[in-house]
């Protein structure tokens, strides 16, 4: 990376080549699922009204989803998505039935005549069937039909990789979030259904009760969820330093109610830290909520899924609470525009865990936390995945831990904490409730940091190998010299490194792919050490 003042036109000339080392081949169906075809870009979803009956005994769902949308380009055909496991009984438009064709999980709907530009319209899809069961939730998604410790039904659904179309019909591309969503879930009497947002109404039926939930903000499709079980609701509130109030709700299995109040007290200092770093909680009308789930966790918006069995880490916090809640900012407020860009959600969220530790304890403790994260880095595939194919075939966790280290390294590169933290907040402000792609984010950070960070991000996002700093210290005619070179996969990658010695001397170097030499003080030599706790590089000392 060359340190130089930012020029937006120059940055825009660079294109982002993704996934240099990814060799997976993709099918027509990956493209149908992950790309923005004209049948998708021609309309913009405003509102989903999802109504479902859930039968736990039969593991069966049936109901409808009404999609309210605006036409962006005149069209007589649109694409929606729904798992081919589920049967579409009919699609209604203005009281008439529409013809449709299915191609695997894509559904092409034909209107009787072209819908005009700027018109607002709606369709209702009636469907039913047995949705996919999760083989390894939340990583391999689907429904989880299980029982709690008292033998009562306990049901959840997580579908980040496969997408919401695994269980409800929608335009299943991350670039189009509905502005709001209403969900009406009918579940057998005796069970409660918890979903995102606020409970608007509970309607009692003969054998089933219907719970109507409403989300007042844009929401990723995969964040829409349901949780059915024998739940208790524990209410609390977070009073901010400015005396404003955020509603907190914890939905736990009834036999965990007694311990949940104390356990989730950790939420308040966490919210204080995250609001300090990233700005106010993005979904105040919906409140903040945690829902106990039969799987480890998921960032379901305003209904964080929690399945870590009330276990705290050695610092006294539950990392699932911290991680999934950080996603309310990184993922739910600022959303990746494509699954290939998912690092935007996971890298910042995993780094937010370390910032939380810094906020509660101190910087040194957060570095220790980061060093533990570093143990999990595999360097086996690029952090950024291919675009337009709903990429969710990650083999390792590098978009989490290596991504976190990339951001920790970037903080050292920027070397100005007030600037660094203002950039984090500005990303949240600028892209609030929007979707953002890698290129746009990199340009934004470069502009705010006033350096061209393209080679930096290319190095860590697109290449697998860790940059290696090779150095030696040479004595010549009574003077000492540091001779160094950085071997990196990205040709223009250059890393400014600050080396501090115990006697207070600081040497600043810009390591890049050429041999460089700098004179150093004799008294810096004894404890000379490249600070690999601040930069994600490996170091090789030559003799
Ligand atoms: Zn995550």
């Amino acid at each position: 990376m060359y340190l130089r003042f930012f020029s937006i036109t120059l940055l825009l000339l660079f294109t982002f080549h993704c996934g240099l080392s990814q060799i997976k081949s993709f099918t027509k169906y990956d493209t149908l699922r992950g790309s923005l075809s004209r049948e998708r870009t021609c309309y913009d979803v405003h509102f989903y009204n999802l109504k479902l009956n859930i039968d736990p005994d039969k593991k069966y769902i049936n109901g409808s989803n009404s999609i309210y949308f605006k036409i962006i380009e005149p069209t007589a055909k649109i694409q929606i998505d729904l798992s081919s496991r589920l049967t579409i009984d009919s699609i209604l438009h203005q009281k008439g039935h529409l013809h449709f064709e299915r191609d695997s999980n894509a559904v092409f709907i034909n209107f009787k005549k072209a819908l005009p530009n700027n018109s607002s319209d709606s369709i209702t899809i009636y469907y039913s069937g047995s949705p996919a069961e999760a083989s390894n939730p939340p990583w391999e998604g689907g429904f989880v039909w299980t029982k709690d410790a008292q033998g009562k039904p306990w049901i959840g659904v997580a579908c980040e990789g496969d997408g919401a179309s695994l269980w409800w019909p929608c335009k299943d591309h991350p670039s189009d979030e509905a502005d709001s969503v209403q969900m009406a879930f009918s579940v057998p009497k005796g069970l409660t259904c918890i979903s995102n947002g606020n409970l608007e109404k509970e309607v009692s039926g003969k054998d089933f009760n219907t719970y109507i939930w409403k989300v007042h903000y844009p929401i990723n499709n995969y964040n829409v969820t349901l949780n059915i079980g024998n739940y208790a609701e524990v209410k609390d509130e977070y009073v901010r330093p400015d005396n404003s109030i955020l509603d907190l709700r914890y939905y736990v299995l009834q036999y965990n109610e007694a311990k949940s109040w104390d356990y989730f007290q950790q939420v308040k200092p966490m919210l204080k830290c995250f609001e300090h770093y990233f700005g106010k909680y993005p979904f105040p009308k919906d409140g903040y909520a945690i829902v106990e789930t039969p799987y480890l966790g998921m960032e379901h918006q305003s209904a964080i899924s929690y399945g870590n069995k009330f276990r705290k880490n050695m610092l006294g916090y539950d990392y699932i609470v911290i991680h999934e809640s950080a996603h309310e900012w990184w993922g739910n407020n600022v959303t990746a525009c494509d699954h290939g860009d998912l690092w935007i959600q996971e890298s910042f969220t995993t780094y937010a865990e370390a910032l939380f530790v810094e906020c509660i304890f101190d910087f040194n403790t957060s570095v220790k936390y980061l060093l533990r994260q570093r143990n999990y880095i595999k360097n086996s595939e690029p952090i950024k995945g291919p675009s337009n194919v709903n990429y969710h075939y990650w083999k390792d966790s590098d978009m989490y831990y290596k991504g976190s280290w990339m951001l920790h390294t970037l903080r050292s590169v920027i070397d100005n904490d007030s600037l660094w933290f203002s950039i984090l907040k500005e990303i949240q402000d600028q892209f609030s409730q929007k979707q953002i792609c890698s290129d746009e984010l990199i340009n934004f950070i470069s502009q705010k940091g006033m350096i061209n960070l393209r080679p930096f991000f290319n190095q860590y996002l697109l290449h697998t190998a860790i940059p290696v700093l090779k150095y030696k210290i040479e004595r010549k005619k009574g003077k000492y010299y540091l001779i160094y070179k950085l071997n990196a996969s990205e040709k223009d990658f250059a890393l400014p490194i600050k080396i501090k010695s115990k006697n207070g001397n600081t040497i600043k170097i810009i390591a890049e792919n050429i041999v460089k030499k700098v004179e150093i003080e004799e008294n810096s030599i004894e404890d000379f050490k490249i600070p690999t706790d601040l930069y994600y590089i490996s170091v090789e000392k030559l003799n």
Side-chain angles (χ1 to χ4, degrees):
M1 182 197 69
Y2 290 110
L3 280 174
R4 61 172 171 72
F5 285 97
F6 170 78
S7 147
I8 193 157
T9 40
L10 199 58
L11 277 180
L12 291 173
L13 290 176
F14 290 94
T15 53
F16 206 82
H17 302 288
C18 75
L20 297 182
S21 305
Q22 275 141 346
I23 47 164
K24 184 179 178 353
S25 58
F26 298 101
T27 67
K28 166 193 164 190
Y29 296 108
D30 294 316
T31 303
L32 268 180
R33 177 68 184 76
S35 67
L36 281 168
S37 60
R38 192 189 170 276
E39 287 78 16
R40 279 174 155 176
T41 55
C42 63
Y43 73 107
D44 178 24
V45 175
H46 282 297
F47 178 61
Y48 290 120
N49 190 2
L50 177 62
K51 298 176 182 174
L52 269 189
N53 306 306
I54 294 103
D55 187 336
D57 289 339
K58 294 182 182 148
K59 298 183 178 177
Y60 186 85
I61 59 174
N62 76 297
S64 66
N65 186 30
S66 297
I67 306 179
Y68 293 77
F69 56 89
K70 188 174 174 186
I71 294 295
I72 305 295
E73 241 185 292
T75 186
K77 186 178 189 178
I78 63 169
Q79 178 189 340
I80 63 163
D81 307 273
L82 182 67
S83 164
S84 57
R85 293 173 59 101
L86 300 170
T87 304
I88 295 180
D89 303 309
S90 60
I91 300 179
L92 291 191
H93 175 237
Q94 298 169 355
K95 294 184 184 162
H97 287 257
L98 292 178
H99 289 289
F100 58 91
E101 299 113 38
R102 304 190 73 170
D103 191 355
S104 183
N105 301 325
V107 184
F108 294 96
I109 301 171
N110 301 298
F111 292 90
K112 285 163 190 151
K113 57 181 185 185
L115 304 177
N117 204 12
N118 276 326
S119 59
S120 292
D121 220 318
S122 67
I123 54 171
T124 301
I125 301 109
Y126 292 87
Y127 73 107
S128 56
S130 300
E133 282 189 53
S135 55
N136 184 24
W139 301 280
E140 303 292 331
F143 266 70
V144 181
W145 310 91
T146 188
K147 298 240 160 68
D148 68 17
Q150 294 178 339
K152 295 189 172 148
W154 192 20
I155 296 146
V157 61
C159 57
E160 183 178 11
D162 301 276
S165 52
L166 179 143
W167 65 287
W168 58 281
C170 55
K171 177 179 171 181
D172 210 358
H173 193 279
S175 66
D176 192 2
E177 294 184 5
D179 303 326
S180 59
V181 179
Q182 182 166 292
M183 297 82 71
F185 295 125
S186 298
V187 303
K189 273 187 177 293
L191 297 173
T192 306
C193 183
I194 313 298
S195 186
N196 316 76
N198 292 322
L199 181 63
E200 299 279 299
K201 212 168 159 188
E202 191 182 329
V203 182
S204 185
K206 188 166 160 272
D207 301 317
F208 283 73
N209 284 347
T210 302
Y211 294 83
I212 301 172
W213 290 82
K214 179 144 194 216
V215 176
H216 296 86
Y217 300 91
I219 179 170
N220 311 337
N221 294 338
Y222 78 82
N223 266 325
V224 172
T225 194
L226 56 74
N227 305 276
I228 301 166
N230 187 26
Y231 281 108
E233 181 186 28
V234 177
K235 286 185 176 178
D236 199 354
E237 58 186 25
Y238 167 52
V239 182
R240 296 188 176 94
D242 68 1
N243 298 336
S244 63
I245 297 166
L246 176 66
D247 289 334
L248 312 177
R249 299 185 311 268
Y250 310 120
Y251 298 97
V252 293
L253 294 173
Q254 288 207 348
Y255 51 79
N256 287 327
E257 183 178 0
K259 64 181 170 191
S260 62
W261 170 273
D262 279 346
Y263 191 79
F264 290 123
Q265 287 307 305
Q266 60 186 302
V267 163
K268 293 174 198 174
M270 175 198 72
L271 288 170
K272 188 176 178 191
C273 290
F274 286 162
E275 290 201 334
H276 168 72
Y277 289 126
F278 311 137
K280 280 207 165 159
Y281 177 74
F283 314 107
K285 254 193 261 173
D286 289 348
Y288 170 93
I290 288 179
V291 189
E292 191 177 357
T293 51
Y295 52 89
L296 186 61
M298 182 53 75
E299 61 262 28
H300 294 132
Q301 185 173 308
S302 61
I304 295 294
S305 293
Y306 171 77
N308 200 29
K309 300 183 167 63
F310 301 87
R311 289 177 302 198
K312 290 180 176 172
N313 63 13
M314 58 204 290
L315 295 172
Y317 291 87
D318 189 321
Y319 92 99
I320 285 293
V321 172
I322 308 301
H323 179 95
E324 303 304 345
S325 299
H327 272 306
E328 293 284 28
W329 285 264
W330 303 101
N332 301 350
N333 190 40
V334 176
T335 304
C337 71
D338 186 285
H339 261 282
D341 299 291
L342 215 55
W343 69 272
I344 294 171
Q345 305 188 178
E346 296 302 347
S347 300
F348 280 92
T349 291
T350 310
Y351 178 63
E353 292 175 36
L355 287 184
F356 166 75
V357 174
E358 179 172 343
C359 172
I360 297 291
F361 300 95
D362 51 39
F363 180 71
N364 288 341
T365 313
S366 87
V367 170
K368 283 183 194 152
Y369 188 88
L370 280 155
L371 287 167
R372 277 198 294 278
Q373 288 185 345
R374 189 170 170 148
N375 293 331
Y376 297 102
I377 298 177
K378 297 276 194 301
N379 288 313
S380 65
E381 65 176 344
I383 294 176
K384 188 188 179 308
S387 300
N388 302 317
V389 286
N390 192 47
Y391 189 75
H392 59 285
Y393 306 99
W394 314 99
K395 293 195 296 275
D396 60 31
S397 306
D398 278 6
M399 73 168 149
Y400 297 79
Y401 302 115
K402 189 174 174 182
S404 176
W405 265 86
M406 173 180 73
L407 296 172
H408 178 55
T409 304
L410 182 55
R411 177 178 177 179
S412 303
V413 167
I414 287 178
D415 192 26
N416 176 339
D417 272 358
S418 68
L419 178 59
W420 171 240
F421 287 112
S422 76
I423 290 173
L424 295 181
K425 236 180 204 164
E426 283 183 70
I427 296 170
Q428 284 293 323
D429 278 352
Q430 181 77 21
F431 303 104
S432 174
Q433 290 165 24
K434 292 194 177 98
Q435 298 79 43
I436 183 172
C437 303
S438 297
D439 277 338
E440 196 179 4
L441 181 57
I442 292 165
N443 287 347
F444 184 82
I445 300 174
S446 295
Q447 186 180 29
K448 296 294 169 188
M450 294 184 293
I451 45 175
N452 175 15
L453 292 167
R454 176 69 54 176
F456 175 89
F457 279 105
N458 279 358
Q459 172 61 42
Y460 287 109
L461 293 177
L462 305 185
H463 302 285
T464 53
I466 178 170
V468 182
L469 181 71
K470 296 186 176 183
Y471 78 96
K472 64 180 174 181
I473 293 170
E474 223 174 53
R475 186 181 173 190
K476 219 171 191 180
K477 295 182 182 166
K479 289 187 172 177
Y480 290 87
Y481 298 92
L482 171 68
I483 298 166
Y484 60 96
K485 182 187 174 203
L486 187 69
N487 285 359
S489 311
E490 183 70 19
K491 189 166 66 70
D492 295 332
F493 181 62
L495 189 68
I497 301 174
K498 242 165 128 174
I499 305 156
K500 286 183 185 164
S501 59
K502 278 184 195 150
N503 61 24
N505 286 345
T506 298
I507 306 161
K508 285 185 192 171
I509 60 170
I510 296 179
E512 52 193 314
N513 200 19
I514 50 171
V515 177
K516 290 183 164 182
K517 185 174 185 177
V518 63
E519 187 180 343
I520 54 175
E521 302 277 336
E522 185 177 356
N523 61 6
S524 302
I525 291 166
E526 198 186 336
D527 62 345
F528 186 89
K529 191 173 173 291
I530 306 289
T532 49
D533 56 345
L534 300 178
Y535 302 88
Y536 187 58
I537 52 172
S538 69
V539 170
E540 213 176 289
K541 188 177 179 192
L542 306 172
N543 293 314

